[in-house]
């Protein structure tokens, strides 16, 4: 099979700019696809962190006016990523979070910022760069969704794929924006980018892309239902034949407990006892009692409604009754941040929390905790439970989306067969979470069973090997 050239368009990429799992996926998939002779170039916005990392990048295209100011496309590479950077200072020369300004609100011109990213994606996909003609343009999430609308209205275009990482983020803007986008009037239609009287960039991608993927098979089914389709389910049902769920993988080099330079003691599945040093390190960092026997639950998460962590606040008594400890790392909803701070203050030595974003601490939590809690109300894929499996931390997850697809519940049958890798609960309520915590603590106190679960998790293939093959098959099928 011949080589395929893919232009990916995304608003985040690890290790340059990250707010969540999207960055991890966009950062890791290219290396996995390269092994299958699929060459990925990724277009990202020129945020300050990106411009600094790509200081040596060369201009390959320019626009005198791209949504309000001059802009250039730069080509460069870093950490084995082949990148195109949209250098548009009027839109992206702003430090910090890529979407939110210092006042905690979305930047008021996000519609223009990501229309510009998408316009750049469409232009780069159709000959703007001399000698570069990708076979496929692959857009990720709403920020890149308009790419497919722009491409649809060009005379000749590459094949297109839209990946949904989270249907809850839809890129909705008022209809007044439409003329600014300079799409033909026909695009403002139900069979187009119109969405409840406004425009939706995500819908643009879902409507115009040749194929749609999302990040787990279960989520691909859920988003076709009215309960979980968030208004897009009709469109997604209509496009069922073109919709595919491909589970995310993880970068098994960045996340490898045997070599991870960020953790106190490295270990593998044959040396699980080494984890004790990591647990002690974690207990010290989170101000927890240095008790090796207490089941230590970790959380690494955005603190939002999606993630269900308000339910964990309701499970405080169950945690205490199980003699468990909690170490939480997260940022998000200010009320939830305050509530976890208060819980830690009420139960010193038992609950600890770090409010903030800290990549190194995330590794330490995975290496030192006994269990990882992910009580999400919905979860397209979820990556932290995959990191947990890799690190011998038992995931305790809501049975939704990708969490359902990646964890084998310690049911009596699974325990009997010796295949369990974690604990699942459903429905996603505080009561069921409390039961799951009790069940996990009880399993933890049976070392033989617990270690078997840890080893099963560590033996699970969470790499990009299979998922990358599925993307490659999709790309080949699309070009055939
Ligand atoms: P989502 O993308 O919905 O936030 P995922 O589980 O797919 O959820 O990915 C979250 C990613 O962000 C993981 O790599 C996780 O380790 C990381 N992460 C989340 N919150 C924090 C935090 N406060 N500090 C460090 N890393 C975090
Ligand atoms: C989104 C989803 C998460 C998924 C990630 C990467 O942020 O919320 O479940 O793992 O994208 O695909």
């Amino acid at each position: 099979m011949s080589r395929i050239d893919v232009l990916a368009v995304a608003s985040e990429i690890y290790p340059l700019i990250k707010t969540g799992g999207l960055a991890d996926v966009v950062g890791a998939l290219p290396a996995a696809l390269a092994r299958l002779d699929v060459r990925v170039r990724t277009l990202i916005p020129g945020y300050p962190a990106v411009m600094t990392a790509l200081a040596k990048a060369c201009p390959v295209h320019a626009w005198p006016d791209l949504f309000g100011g001059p802009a250039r496309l730069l080509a460069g590479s870093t950490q084995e990523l082949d990148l195109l950077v949209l250098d548009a200072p009027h839109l992206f020369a702003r430090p910090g979070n890529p979407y939110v300004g210092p006042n905690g609100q979305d930047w008021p011109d996000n519609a223009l910022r990501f229309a510009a990213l998408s316009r750049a994606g469409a232009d780069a996909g159709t000959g703007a760069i001399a000698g570069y003609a990708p076979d496929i343009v692959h857009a990720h999430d709403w920020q890149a969704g308009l790419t497919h609308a722009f491409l649809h209205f060009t005379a000749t275009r590459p094949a297109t794929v839209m990946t949904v990482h989270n249907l809850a983020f839809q890129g909705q803007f008022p209809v007044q924006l439409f003329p600014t986008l300079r799409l033909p009037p026909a695009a403002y239609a139900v069979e187009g980018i119109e969405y409840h009287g406004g425009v939706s960039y995500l819908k643009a991608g879902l409507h115009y892309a040749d194929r749609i993927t999302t990040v787990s098979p279960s989520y691909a089914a859920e988003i076709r239902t009215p309960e979980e389709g968030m208004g897009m389910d009709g469109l997604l049902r209509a496009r069922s034949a073109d919709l595919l769920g491909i589970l995310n993988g993880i970068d098994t080099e960045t996340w490898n407990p045997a070599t991870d330079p960020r953790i106190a003691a490295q270990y593998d599945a044959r040396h699980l006892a080494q984890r004790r040093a990591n647990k002690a390190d974690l207990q010290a960092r989170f101000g927890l009692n240095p008790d090796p026997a207490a089941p230590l639950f970790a959380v690494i998460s955005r603190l939002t409604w999606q993630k269900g962590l308000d339910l964990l606040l309701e499970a405080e008594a169950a945690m205490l009754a199980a003699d468990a400890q909690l170490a939480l790392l997260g940022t998000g909803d200010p009320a939830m941040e305050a509530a976890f701070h208060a819980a830690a203050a009420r139960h010193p030595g038992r609950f600890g929390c770090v409010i903030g974003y800290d990549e190194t601490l995330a590794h330490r939590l995975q290496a030192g905790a006994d269990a990882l809690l992910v009580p999400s109300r919905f979860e397209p894929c979820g990556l932290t439970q995959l990191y947990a499996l890799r690190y011998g931390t038992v995931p305790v997850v809501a049975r939704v989306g990708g969490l359902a697809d990646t964890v084998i519940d310690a049911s009596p049958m699974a325990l009997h067969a010796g295949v369990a890798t974690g604990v699942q609960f459903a429905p996603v309520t505080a009561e069921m979470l409390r039961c799951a915590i009790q069940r996990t603590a009880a399993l933890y106190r049976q070392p033989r069973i617990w270690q078997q679960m840890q080893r099963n998790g560590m033996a699970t293939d969470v790499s990009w090997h299979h998922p990358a093959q599925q993307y490659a098959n999709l790309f080949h099928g699309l070009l055939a």
Side-chain angles (χ1 to χ4, degrees):
M1 278 194 270
S2 55
R3 193 179 85 180
I4 296 182
D5 267 289
V6 175
L7 171 64
V9 185
S11 58
E12 299 183 23
I13 191 163
Y14 180 85
L16 301 181
I17 178 94
K18 166 171 168 179
T19 70
L22 170 66
D24 289 347
V25 172
V26 173
L29 189 51
L33 282 170
R35 286 177 220 120
L36 303 171
D37 219 13
V38 176
R39 192 178 78 165
V40 181
R41 227 174 183 193
T42 310
L43 168 66
I44 51 168
Y47 312 113
V50 173
M51 296 304 288
T52 308
L54 274 279
K56 293 204 206 88
C58 307
V60 290
H61 186 73
W63 297 265
D65 182 357
L66 186 66
F67 294 96
R72 300 185 305 166
L73 207 50
L74 311 176
S77 61
T78 181
Q79 324 245 5
E80 292 174 49
L81 293 167
D82 183 2
L83 297 176
L84 292 171
V85 175
L86 179 57
D87 176 23
H90 63 295
L91 301 172
F92 299 117
R94 306 171 198 180
N97 183 291
Y99 318 117
V100 176
N103 60 0
Q105 305 289 314
D106 285 357
W107 290 109
D109 59 349
N110 273 352
L112 301 182
R113 299 170 78 221
F114 296 106
L117 177 69
S118 298
R119 181 74 257 174
D123 290 357
T126 50
I129 304 170
Y132 179 60
D135 305 297
I136 289 174
V137 176
H138 183 187
H140 294 268
D141 269 357
W142 75 264
Q143 295 89 345
L146 274 185
T147 309
H148 295 327
F150 291 132
L151 282 172
H152 179 81
F153 294 101
T154 53
T156 56
R157 65 164 178 88
T160 53
V161 175
M162 180 77 208
T163 292
V164 187
H165 295 263
N166 195 333
L167 201 68
F169 301 114
Q170 304 189 334
Q172 287 188 42
F173 302 103
V175 59
Q176 289 74 12
L177 173 75
F178 184 72
T180 319
L181 301 177
R182 303 220 191 143
L183 280 164
Y188 187 72
V190 174
E191 299 279 308
I193 76 169
E194 190 273 341
Y195 186 66
H196 295 287
V199 303
S200 159
Y201 289 11
L202 178 65
K203 187 184 169 196
L206 297 178
H207 178 74
Y208 288 114
D210 296 326
R211 295 282 187 281
I212 302 166
T213 74
T214 187
V215 288
S216 70
S218 285
Y219 194 60
E222 289 168 2
I223 59 178
R224 276 178 272 193
T225 67
E227 292 76 21
E228 314 211 36
M230 301 186 198
M232 301 285 179
D233 50 292
L235 169 58
L236 290 166
R237 278 196 300 280
R239 297 220 53 193
S240 271
D242 300 320
L243 169 60
L244 179 67
I246 302 179
L247 214 50
N248 287 331
I250 64 168
D251 179 336
T252 49
E253 281 167 38
T254 303
W255 295 90
N256 180 359
T259 56
D260 192 335
R262 290 157 151 154
I263 63 180
Q266 295 160 355
Y267 62 93
D268 58 28
R270 281 169 297 132
H271 302 93
L272 286 172
Q274 317 269 81
R275 294 183 98 257
R276 274 188 221 133
N278 293 313
K279 182 167 177 177
D281 171 68
L282 209 54
Q283 286 170 324
R285 285 176 194 279
F286 280 80
L288 302 171
N289 300 331
D291 177 0
L296 172 48
F297 289 80
V299 170
I300 306 162
S301 186
R302 294 186 287 117
L303 303 179
T304 63
W305 186 84
Q306 174 190 343
K307 301 294 180 179
L309 291 162
D310 48 310
L311 305 176
L312 180 57
L313 288 162
E314 292 182 51
E316 191 177 303
M319 291 284 290
L320 295 171
D323 279 327
Q325 297 183 339
L326 174 70
L328 174 138
L329 168 65
T331 65
D333 176 7
M336 233 189 277
E337 292 182 354
F340 278 107
H341 257 314
R346 269 197 307 279
H347 306 290
R350 301 292 301 278
F351 291 1
C353 73
V354 172
I355 300 301
Y357 191 94
D358 185 336
E359 197 72 29
T360 297
L361 195 52
H363 284 246
R364 291 187 170 135
L365 280 157
Q366 295 285 11
D370 297 304
L372 181 89
L373 283 167
V374 195
S376 306
R377 291 190 166 88
F378 67 94
E379 196 61 77
C381 180
L383 296 178
T384 58
Q385 85 281 9
L386 301 180
Y387 299 134
L389 290 170
R390 175 102 174 123
Y391 277 65
T393 307
V394 172
V396 180
V397 305
R399 189 181 296 126
V400 297
L403 301 173
D405 294 346
T406 53
V407 173
I408 302 175
D409 178 53
S411 65
M413 277 86 79
L415 287 175
H416 184 72
V419 297
T421 60
V423 171
Q424 292 189 335
F425 65 94
V428 191
T429 60
E431 191 188 342
M432 294 316 286
L433 173 59
R434 283 194 287 267
C435 293
I437 289 168
Q438 281 155 8
R439 196 148 68 89
T440 306
L443 289 164
Y444 174 76
R445 297 198 163 96
Q446 303 171 65
R448 211 176 42 79
I449 293 178
W450 188 259
Q451 281 162 24
Q452 164 100 60
M453 286 171 69
Q454 288 180 294
R455 277 195 287 267
N456 289 346
M458 294 177 87
T460 303
D461 183 3
V462 289
S463 76
W464 274 106
H465 183 75
H466 288 295
Q469 187 67 59
Q470 288 178 279
Y471 278 103
N473 294 348
L474 171 76
F475 296 155
H476 280 290
L478 198 45
L479 297 177

